[in-house]
Amino acid sequence: MKILIVEDEKLLLESVTKYLSAEGFLCEEASNMQEASEKIELYDYDIIILDLTLPDGNGLDLLLQLKNSKQDTGVIILTAKNSLDDKLKGLDQGADDYLTKPFHLVELNSRIKAIIRRRQFNGKEKLIWEGVEIDLGSKEVFIYGTLAVLSKKEYEMLLYFLINKNRVITKEALAEHLWGDHYDESDNFDFIYAHIKNLRRKIRKAGGKNYIKTVYGLGYRLTSL
Amino acid sequence: MKLLHYTSRIYLIYSLAIFAVSSVLIFIVINRSINAELHERLELTRDMLIRQLKSGKRPVSMPPYWEISKVDRSYSNVATEKDTVISLRVEEEVEEEVFRQKIYIRQVDNSTYKLVIRTPKTGAGYLFLSIAMYLLLIVIILLSFLIVINRHISHRLWNPFYQYLNALASYSFSDDVPIELNKSKIYEFEQLRQELLHLTNKLQKDYKHLKRFTENASHEIQTPLSIIITRLEQIMNLEELPPVMAKEIGAIFSAANRLSKLNQTLLLLSKIENRQFPNLEQVDLVSVYKRQIDLLRDLADVKSLRLTETLKSEVIVMTNLDLVEIFIANLLNNAIRHNYQGGDIHIRLNDKEFCVGNTGAPSDENPEEWFRRFKKGNPASSSAGLGLALVKEIGEIYGWRIIYTIEDGYHQLCTELNSK
């Protein structure tokens, strides 16, 4: 999987590249329009992560170039503007998704993988890890072959954990992913804990282990250890 | 007090004062001349009587006009003029008349005579009365004339002033329209107009700068925040991260996330103020509500809140989807946040109104305060206190009136919708 990251802020570019490389992606960097444009012309990418505000132009123009080159590339727009206009324009011109800065790397990772799933498997893939099998088509979860009946939230939570396995998932990232932007944040994450507890119980009941570990002071992590 | 009333009142006070002073003056002057006249008449009579005495005639007393009597040589009397009331019999009726009376002691041919001379004062009283009446009449005519003129002048002269006043009252510097003031021929008003134009221009410009500043500042904060958050995420995933450090990193990460949310909310507020959400569409509030309560139900469950809903099947409103989502989510958040364990939430949504009621601690604070920015119910809370401020701003855009009521620890926020 080849990813092109277009971002003018060096420090941010570095973080994203490092994180996604660790996820097994082949990452290339571009810090301005011209560089990005050249790379798009020369190589094929599976995913492009595109910051819209670049020093030498608007990232939206790159979308046009991509469209004309007829490459089948997934695009995630990054924007600091949080402006509806940019979102709509971006999605209109063929972007697959958008993220508003500041974003969580965990979230970016799952968005990328969601796009890949959509493009390669038409969303009908099966995710298998340890004894856990998630059927993305039927939205069913099997633990060592036993069906675990999960609520919608629990299913989404487990999927998120699986996509970001071995990574620390903070309560903040989890809350934002599952409950959206509008919950009245931060001082109370009891509602997350209640769901985690239920999910752990259901996994154990279906014959699984306690895969979801609490990382003290930070959040949770899905690990087989 | 209106300008017109004020000037009229001043005119009235001055006119009455002038009337009083001039009445007194006129009274004094006329009184003097009447006294002089009476005095002259008394002296004429006296001279006539003395002439008669000197000629040897013995004039007859004619009361009440004059009385002559012989007195002792030693008789003395101070010659004073005084008013006296004398009863007269006029055809069976007794009338009282005021007379001016003076007593003279005169020696004629070695005999001393006492002359009591009187002259009627009848006309003088009427004179005063009629003078006062006429004076009052003149003052009244003058005053009404003044008031009419004043009214006329106020309407014409002050016309530009009132025009400016109206223009200012309907002027809002957050709208991007410059104020419109008609030119005036009068120097002072023209000066006022220039100053007003200058002032409103400056206000508008400053306001624009301020708005842009907030927006730009928020934008610029996003990038460094992104760096902080992503770097922290990387540290978190280091295998060799000691647990003590993890806790510290977690605290920093939480704070950075709060800052990020706060910043996004501020950006949103400034966008709402700048009216950057122009795209209106037909939105079904019921489905928006259902989506939001679906997300927030978990938060309500933690507090074991009981939710009761009275919903119409569809409430269509012309609005912006993103804003109305934020609007509803914030109202629901508010009802959950300020509730107690095992409390209630009641939702009513129909064409007329969207009401969110919740149980909660009674508060003696002014509800207006809650809609202010950075106003927290609980000062120790990590919430920035922007939720209801957002609700208010969004409500203002669409002209939705938000009414707050509290009764026996039951709070209710009702939004009057002007739905179709």
Coordinates of all heavy atoms in Angstrom, one line a residue, chain A residues 24-90:
Chain A
G24 N 2.7 -0.3 8.5 CA 3.0 -1.1 7.3 C 2.7 -0.5 6.0 O 2.8 -1.1 4.9
F25 N 2.5 0.8 6.0 CA 2.2 1.5 4.7 C 3.6 2.0 4.1 O 4.5 2.3 4.9 CB 1.3 2.7 4.9 CG -0.1 2.3 5.2 CD1 -0.6 2.5 6.5 CD2 -0.9 1.6 4.3 CE1 -1.9 2.2 6.8 CE2 -2.2 1.3 4.6 CZ -2.7 1.6 5.9
L26 N 3.6 2.1 2.9 CA 4.8 2.7 2.2 C 4.5 4.2 2.0 O 3.7 4.6 1.3 CB 5.0 2.0 0.9 CG 6.4 2.1 0.3 CD1 7.4 1.3 1.2 CD2 6.4 1.6 -1.1
C27 N 5.2 5.0 2.8 CA 4.8 6.4 2.8 C 5.8 7.3 2.0 O 7.0 7.1 2.1 CB 4.7 6.9 4.2 SG 3.5 6.1 5.2
E28 N 5.2 8.3 1.3 CA 6.1 9.3 0.6 C 5.5 10.6 1.1 O 4.4 10.8 1.3 CB 6.0 9.1 -0.9 CG 6.8 7.9 -1.3 CD 7.4 8.0 -2.7 OE1 7.6 9.2 -3.1 OE2 7.6 7.0 -3.4
E29 N 6.5 11.6 1.1 CA 6.1 12.9 1.6 C 6.2 14.0 0.5 O 7.0 13.9 -0.4 CB 7.0 13.3 2.7 CG 7.0 12.4 3.9 CD 8.0 12.8 5.0 OE1 8.9 13.5 4.6 OE2 7.8 12.3 6.1
A30 N 5.3 15.0 0.6 CA 5.4 16.2 -0.2 C 4.9 17.3 0.6 O 4.0 17.2 1.3 CB 4.5 16.0 -1.5
S31 N 5.7 18.4 0.6 CA 5.4 19.5 1.5 C 4.9 20.7 0.7 O 4.6 21.8 1.3 CB 6.6 19.9 2.3 OG 7.7 20.2 1.5
N32 N 4.7 20.6 -0.6 CA 4.0 21.7 -1.3 C 3.3 21.2 -2.6 O 3.5 20.0 -2.9 CB 5.0 22.8 -1.7 CG 6.2 22.3 -2.5 OD1 6.0 21.5 -3.4 ND2 7.4 22.7 -2.0
M33 N 2.6 22.1 -3.2 CA 1.8 21.7 -4.4 C 2.7 21.1 -5.5 O 2.3 20.0 -6.1 CB 1.1 22.9 -5.0 CG -0.1 23.3 -4.3 SD -1.5 22.4 -4.8 CE -2.0 23.3 -6.3
Q34 N 3.8 21.8 -5.8 CA 4.6 21.4 -6.9 C 5.1 20.0 -6.7 O 5.0 19.1 -7.6 CB 5.7 22.4 -7.1 CG 6.2 22.5 -8.5 CD 7.6 23.1 -8.5 OE1 8.0 23.8 -7.6 NE2 8.4 22.8 -9.5
E35 N 5.7 19.8 -5.5 CA 6.3 18.5 -5.2 C 5.2 17.4 -5.3 O 5.4 16.3 -5.9 CB 6.8 18.5 -3.8 CG 8.0 17.8 -3.5 CD 8.5 18.0 -2.0 OE1 8.5 19.1 -1.6 OE2 8.7 16.9 -1.4
A36 N 4.1 17.7 -4.8 CA 3.0 16.7 -4.8 C 2.5 16.4 -6.2 O 2.3 15.3 -6.6 CB 1.8 17.2 -4.0
S37 N 2.4 17.5 -7.0 CA 2.0 17.4 -8.4 C 2.9 16.5 -9.2 O 2.5 15.6 -10.0 CB 1.8 18.8 -9.0 OG 1.5 18.7 -10.3
E38 N 4.2 16.7 -9.0 CA 5.2 15.9 -9.7 C 5.1 14.4 -9.3 O 5.1 13.5 -10.2 CB 6.6 16.4 -9.3 CG 7.0 17.6 -10.2 CD 8.2 18.3 -9.6 OE1 9.0 17.7 -8.8 OE2 8.5 19.5 -10.0
K39 N 4.9 14.2 -8.0 CA 4.9 12.8 -7.5 C 3.6 12.1 -8.1 O 3.7 10.9 -8.4 CB 4.9 12.7 -6.0 CG 6.3 13.1 -5.5 CD 6.5 12.7 -4.1 CE 8.0 12.8 -3.8 NZ 8.4 12.7 -2.4
I40 N 2.5 12.8 -8.1 CA 1.3 12.2 -8.6 C 1.5 11.8 -10.1 O 1.0 10.8 -10.5 CB 0.1 13.2 -8.4 CG1 -0.2 13.3 -6.9 CG2 -1.1 12.7 -9.2 CD1 -1.2 14.4 -6.6
E41 N 2.2 12.7 -10.8 CA 2.4 12.4 -12.2 C 3.3 11.2 -12.4 O 3.0 10.4 -13.3 CB 3.1 13.7 -12.8 CG 2.5 14.0 -14.2 CD 2.8 15.4 -14.5 OE1 2.1 16.4 -14.0 OE2 3.8 15.6 -15.3
L42 N 4.3 11.1 -11.6 CA 5.3 10.0 -11.8 C 4.8 8.6 -11.2 O 5.1 7.6 -11.8 CB 6.6 10.4 -11.1 CG 7.4 11.5 -11.8 CD1 8.6 11.9 -11.0 CD2 7.8 11.1 -13.2
Y43 N 4.2 8.7 -10.1 CA 3.9 7.4 -9.4 C 2.4 7.2 -9.2 O 1.6 8.1 -9.2 CB 4.6 7.3 -8.1 CG 6.0 7.6 -8.1 CD1 6.5 8.9 -7.6 CD2 7.0 6.7 -8.6 CE1 7.8 9.2 -7.7 CE2 8.3 7.1 -8.7 CZ 8.7 8.3 -8.2 OH 10.0 8.6 -8.2
D44 N 2.0 5.9 -9.0 CA 0.6 5.6 -8.6 C 0.6 5.5 -7.0 O 1.4 4.8 -6.5 CB 0.2 4.3 -9.2 CG -0.3 4.6 -10.7 OD1 -0.3 5.7 -11.0 OD2 -0.6 3.6 -11.4
Y45 N -0.4 6.0 -6.5 CA -0.6 5.9 -5.0 C -2.0 5.3 -4.7 O -3.0 5.5 -5.5 CB -0.5 7.2 -4.3 CG 0.9 7.8 -4.4 CD1 1.1 8.8 -5.3 CD2 1.9 7.4 -3.5 CE1 2.4 9.4 -5.4 CE2 3.1 8.0 -3.6 CZ 3.4 8.9 -4.6 OH 4.7 9.5 -4.7
D46 N -2.1 4.5 -3.6 CA -3.4 4.0 -3.2 C -4.2 5.0 -2.5 O -5.4 5.2 -2.7 CB -3.2 2.7 -2.3 CG -2.4 1.6 -3.1 OD1 -3.1 1.0 -4.0 OD2 -1.2 1.4 -2.8
I47 N -3.4 5.7 -1.6 CA -4.1 6.8 -0.8 C -3.3 8.0 -0.9 O -2.0 8.0 -0.8 CB -4.2 6.3 0.6 CG1 -4.9 5.0 0.8 CG2 -4.9 7.4 1.5 CD1 -6.4 5.0 0.7
I48 N -3.9 9.2 -0.9 CA -3.3 10.4 -0.8 C -3.9 11.2 0.4 O -5.1 11.3 0.5 CB -3.4 11.3 -2.0 CG1 -2.6 10.6 -3.2 CG2 -2.8 12.7 -1.8 CD1 -2.6 11.4 -4.5
I49 N -3.0 11.6 1.3 CA -3.5 12.4 2.4 C -3.2 13.9 2.1 O -2.0 14.2 1.9 CB -2.9 12.0 3.8 CG1 -3.4 10.5 4.1 CG2 -3.3 12.9 4.9 CD1 -2.5 9.9 5.1
L50 N -4.2 14.7 2.0 CA -4.0 16.0 1.3 C -4.4 17.1 2.2 O -5.6 17.3 2.6 CB -4.8 16.0 0.0 CG -4.8 17.3 -0.8 CD1 -3.4 17.5 -1.3 CD2 -5.7 17.1 -2.0
D51 N -3.4 17.9 2.6 CA -3.7 19.2 3.3 C -4.1 20.2 2.3 O -3.5 20.4 1.3 CB -2.5 19.6 4.1 CG -2.7 20.9 4.9 OD1 -3.9 21.3 5.0 OD2 -1.8 21.4 5.5
L52 N -5.2 20.9 2.6 CA -5.8 21.8 1.6 C -5.0 23.1 1.5 O -4.9 23.8 0.5 CB -7.2 22.1 1.8 CG -8.2 21.0 1.5 CD1 -9.6 21.5 1.6 CD2 -7.9 20.4 0.1
T53 N -4.5 23.6 2.7 CA -3.8 24.9 2.7 C -2.3 24.7 2.5 O -1.6 24.3 3.5 CB -4.1 25.7 4.0 OG1 -4.1 24.7 5.0 CG2 -5.4 26.4 3.9
L54 N -1.9 24.8 1.3 CA -0.5 24.7 1.0 C 0.1 26.0 0.6 O -0.6 26.9 0.2 CB -0.3 23.7 -0.2 CG -0.7 22.2 0.1 CD1 -0.8 21.4 -1.1 CD2 0.2 21.6 1.1
P55 N 1.4 26.2 0.8 CA 2.0 27.5 0.6 C 1.9 28.0 -0.9 O 1.8 29.2 -1.1 CB 3.5 27.3 1.0 CG 3.7 25.8 1.0 CD 2.4 25.2 1.4
D56 N 1.9 27.0 -1.8 CA 1.9 27.5 -3.2 C 0.5 27.1 -3.9 O 0.5 27.0 -5.1 CB 3.1 26.9 -4.0 CG 3.2 25.4 -3.8 OD1 2.5 24.8 -2.9 OD2 3.9 24.7 -4.6
G57 N -0.5 27.0 -3.1 CA -1.8 26.8 -3.8 C -2.8 26.1 -2.9 O -2.5 25.7 -1.8
N58 N -4.0 25.8 -3.5 CA -5.0 25.1 -2.8 C -5.0 23.7 -3.2 O -4.9 23.3 -4.4 CB -6.4 25.8 -3.2 CG -7.5 25.3 -2.3 OD1 -7.5 24.1 -1.9 ND2 -8.4 26.1 -2.0
G59 N -5.0 22.8 -2.2 CA -5.0 21.4 -2.4 C -6.1 20.9 -3.3 O -5.9 19.8 -3.9
L60 N -7.1 21.6 -3.4 CA -8.3 21.2 -4.2 C -7.8 21.0 -5.7 O -8.4 20.2 -6.4 CB -9.4 22.2 -4.1 CG -10.2 22.2 -2.8 CD1 -11.2 23.3 -2.8 CD2 -11.0 20.8 -2.7
D61 N -6.8 21.8 -6.1 CA -6.4 21.7 -7.5 C -5.7 20.4 -7.8 O -5.8 19.9 -8.9 CB -5.4 22.9 -7.8 CG -6.1 24.2 -7.8 OD1 -7.3 24.2 -7.8 OD2 -5.4 25.2 -7.6
L62 N -5.1 19.8 -6.8 CA -4.5 18.5 -6.9 C -5.6 17.4 -7.2 O -5.3 16.5 -7.9 CB -3.7 18.1 -5.7 CG -2.3 18.7 -5.5 CD1 -1.7 18.3 -4.2 CD2 -1.4 18.3 -6.7
L63 N -6.7 17.6 -6.6 CA -7.8 16.7 -6.8 C -8.2 16.7 -8.2 O -8.5 15.6 -8.8 CB -9.1 17.1 -5.9 CG -9.1 16.7 -4.5 CD1 -10.3 17.2 -3.8 CD2 -9.0 15.2 -4.4
L64 N -8.2 17.9 -8.8 CA -8.5 18.0 -10.3 C -7.6 17.2 -11.1 O -7.9 16.5 -12.0 CB -8.6 19.4 -10.6 CG -9.7 19.9 -11.5 CD1 -11.0 19.9 -10.6 CD2 -9.5 21.3 -12.1
Q65 N -6.3 17.4 -10.8 CA -5.2 16.7 -11.5 C -5.4 15.2 -11.4 O -5.2 14.5 -12.4 CB -3.9 17.1 -10.9 CG -2.7 16.6 -11.7 CD -1.4 16.8 -11.0 OE1 -1.3 17.6 -10.1 NE2 -0.4 16.1 -11.4
L66 N -5.7 14.7 -10.2 CA -5.9 13.3 -10.0 C -7.0 12.8 -10.9 O -6.9 11.7 -11.5 CB -6.3 13.0 -8.5 CG -5.1 12.7 -7.6 CD1 -5.6 12.6 -6.2 CD2 -4.5 11.4 -8.0
K67 N -8.1 13.5 -10.9 CA -9.3 13.1 -11.7 C -8.9 13.0 -13.1 O -9.3 12.0 -13.8 CB -10.3 14.2 -11.5 CG -11.7 13.7 -11.2 CD -12.7 14.9 -11.2 CE -14.0 14.6 -10.5 NZ -14.8 15.8 -10.3
N68 N -8.1 14.0 -13.6 CA -7.8 13.9 -15.0 C -6.8 12.8 -15.4 O -6.8 12.3 -16.5 CB -7.1 15.3 -15.4 CG -8.1 16.4 -15.3 OD1 -9.3 16.2 -15.4 ND2 -7.7 17.6 -15.1
S69 N -6.0 12.4 -14.4 CA -5.0 11.4 -14.7 C -5.6 10.0 -14.6 O -5.0 9.0 -14.8 CB -3.8 11.5 -13.7 OG -4.2 11.1 -12.4
K70 N -6.9 10.0 -14.2 CA -7.7 8.7 -14.1 C -7.1 7.6 -13.2 O -7.2 6.4 -13.4 CB -7.8 8.1 -15.6 CG -8.4 9.1 -16.6 CD -9.7 8.5 -17.1 CE -10.6 9.4 -17.9 NZ -10.1 10.7 -18.3
Q71 N -6.3 8.1 -12.2 CA -5.8 7.1 -11.2 C -6.9 6.8 -10.3 O -7.7 7.6 -9.9 CB -4.7 7.7 -10.5 CG -3.4 7.8 -11.3 CD -2.2 8.4 -10.5 OE1 -2.1 8.1 -9.3 NE2 -1.4 9.2 -11.1
D72 N -6.9 5.6 -9.8 CA -7.9 5.2 -8.8 C -7.3 5.3 -7.4 O -6.8 4.4 -6.8 CB -8.4 3.8 -9.0 CG -9.5 3.4 -8.1 OD1 -10.3 4.3 -7.7 OD2 -9.7 2.2 -7.8
T73 N -7.2 6.5 -7.0 CA -6.6 6.8 -5.7 C -7.6 7.3 -4.7 O -8.5 8.1 -5.0 CB -5.5 7.9 -5.9 OG1 -4.7 7.6 -7.0 CG2 -4.7 8.1 -4.7
G74 N -7.5 6.8 -3.5 CA -8.3 7.3 -2.4 C -7.7 8.5 -1.8 O -6.5 8.7 -1.7
V75 N -8.6 9.5 -1.5 CA -8.0 10.8 -1.0 C -8.7 11.2 0.3 O -9.9 11.1 0.4 CB -8.3 12.0 -2.0 CG1 -7.7 13.3 -1.4 CG2 -7.6 11.7 -3.3
I76 N -7.9 11.5 1.3 CA -8.4 12.0 2.6 C -7.9 13.5 2.7 O -6.7 13.7 2.6 CB -7.9 11.2 3.8 CG1 -8.5 9.8 3.7 CG2 -8.4 11.9 5.1 CD1 -8.0 8.9 4.8
I77 N -8.9 14.4 2.8 CA -8.5 15.8 2.9 C -8.3 16.1 4.4 O -9.0 15.7 5.3 CB -9.7 16.6 2.4 CG1 -9.8 16.5 0.9 CG2 -9.5 18.1 2.8 CD1 -11.0 17.2 0.3
L78 N -7.2 16.9 4.6 CA -7.0 17.4 5.9 C -7.2 18.9 5.8 O -6.8 19.6 4.9 CB -5.5 17.2 6.3 CG -5.0 15.8 6.6 CD1 -3.6 15.9 7.1 CD2 -5.9 15.1 7.6
T79 N -8.0 19.4 6.8 CA -8.2 20.9 6.7 C -8.2 21.5 8.1 O -8.7 20.9 9.0 CB -9.5 21.2 6.0 OG1 -9.8 22.6 6.2 CG2 -10.7 20.4 6.4
A80 N -7.6 22.7 8.2 CA -7.5 23.4 9.4 C -8.7 24.3 9.5 O -9.0 24.9 10.5 CB -6.2 24.2 9.6
K81 N -9.4 24.4 8.4 CA -10.4 25.5 8.3 C -11.8 25.0 8.9 O -12.5 25.8 9.3 CB -10.6 25.8 6.8 CG -9.6 26.9 6.3 CD -10.1 27.4 5.0 CE -9.1 28.4 4.5 NZ -9.2 28.5 3.0
N82 N -12.0 23.7 8.9 CA -13.2 23.2 9.4 C -14.4 23.9 8.7 O -15.4 24.2 9.3 CB -13.4 23.5 10.9 CG -14.5 22.8 11.5 OD1 -15.1 21.8 10.9 ND2 -14.9 23.2 12.7
S83 N -14.1 24.3 7.5 CA -15.2 25.0 6.8 C -16.0 24.0 5.9 O -15.4 23.2 5.2 CB -14.6 26.2 6.0 OG -14.3 25.7 4.6
L84 N -17.2 24.2 6.0 CA -18.1 23.4 5.2 C -17.9 23.4 3.8 O -17.9 22.4 3.1 CB -19.5 23.8 5.5 CG -20.6 22.8 5.5 CD1 -20.4 21.8 6.6 CD2 -22.0 23.4 5.6
D85 N -17.6 24.6 3.3 CA -17.3 24.8 1.9 C -16.3 23.9 1.3 O -16.4 23.2 0.3 CB -16.9 26.3 1.7 CG -18.0 27.1 1.1 OD1 -19.1 26.7 1.2 OD2 -17.7 28.2 0.6
D86 N -15.1 23.9 2.1 CA -14.0 23.1 1.6 C -14.4 21.6 1.6 O -14.0 20.9 0.7 CB -12.8 23.3 2.6 CG -12.0 24.5 2.1 OD1 -12.4 25.1 1.1 OD2 -11.0 24.9 2.7
K87 N -15.1 21.2 2.7 CA -15.5 19.8 2.8 C -16.3 19.4 1.6 O -16.0 18.4 0.9 CB -16.3 19.6 4.0 CG -15.6 19.3 5.3 CD -16.5 19.2 6.4 CE -15.9 19.5 7.7 NZ -16.8 19.6 8.8
L88 N -17.3 20.2 1.3 CA -18.2 19.9 0.2 C -17.5 19.9 -1.1 O -17.7 19.0 -1.9 CB -19.4 20.9 0.2 CG -20.4 20.8 1.4 CD1 -21.4 21.9 1.3 CD2 -21.0 19.4 1.4
K89 N -16.7 20.9 -1.3 CA -16.0 21.0 -2.6 C -15.1 19.8 -2.8 O -15.0 19.2 -3.8 CB -15.1 22.3 -2.6 CG -15.8 23.4 -3.4 CD -14.8 24.6 -3.5 CE -15.5 25.9 -3.2 NZ -14.6 26.9 -2.7
G90 N -14.4 19.5 -1.6 CA -13.4 18.4 -1.7 C -14.1 17.1 -2.0 O -13.7 16.3 -2.9

